[in-house]
């Protein structure tokens, strides 16, 4: 099952990705920034940057990422994500 999380590059996001990845989920992530390939957690199968400060554009990009990654579940790890959910 595919799961998309927000704030994927934060400490919280990395821990959530690791925990859910070990439980058998395929984890995709979105974050305001991307990270160098060597810094990414091995548990993230995909990462998309959503750098917009404008909440509407941010939400549109997250919805696009959900469709792009064909996520079955959405787990918001930020207040904007909770509002979107």
């Amino acid at each position: 099952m595919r799961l998309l999380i927000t704030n994927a590059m934060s400490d919280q996001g990395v821990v959530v990705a690791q925990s859910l990845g070990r439980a058998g989920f395929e984890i995709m992530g979105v974050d305001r920034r991307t990270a160098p390939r060597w810094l990414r957690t091995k548990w993230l199968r995909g990462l998309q940057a959503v750098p917009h400060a404008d909440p509407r554009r941010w939400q549109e990009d997250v919805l696009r990422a959900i469709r792009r990654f064909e996520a079955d579940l959405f787990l918001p790890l930020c207040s904007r994500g909770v509002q979107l959910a």
Side-chain angles (χ1 to χ4, degrees):
M1 185 165 289
R2 287 184 176 197
L3 174 69
L4 183 98
I5 63 173
T6 59
N7 287 6
M9 295 309 301
S10 68
D11 292 343
Q12 179 186 23
V14 170
V15 170
V16 167
Q18 179 183 20
S19 179
L20 292 174
R22 286 185 176 157
F25 289 92
E26 186 177 353
I27 310 300
M28 310 299 174
V30 294
D31 203 306
R32 288 185 175 195
R33 63 199 180 278
T34 59
R37 185 173 300 277
W38 59 269
L39 186 60
R40 292 185 189 167
T41 175
K42 71 178 183 176
W43 299 103
L44 280 179
R45 300 288 182 223
L47 178 66
Q48 180 174 324
V50 285
H52 305 294
D54 176 19
R56 287 185 187 155
R57 291 191 62 198
W58 185 89
Q59 289 179 352
E60 290 170 4
D61 283 352
V62 171
L63 290 172
R64 236 180 261 117
I66 291 170
R67 287 190 297 272
R68 176 179 160 230
F69 290 130
E70 299 177 357
D72 300 306
L73 300 169
F74 173 61
L75 179 61
L77 302 178
C78 64
S79 56
R80 279 186 180 181
V82 170
Q83 290 173 345
L84 177 61

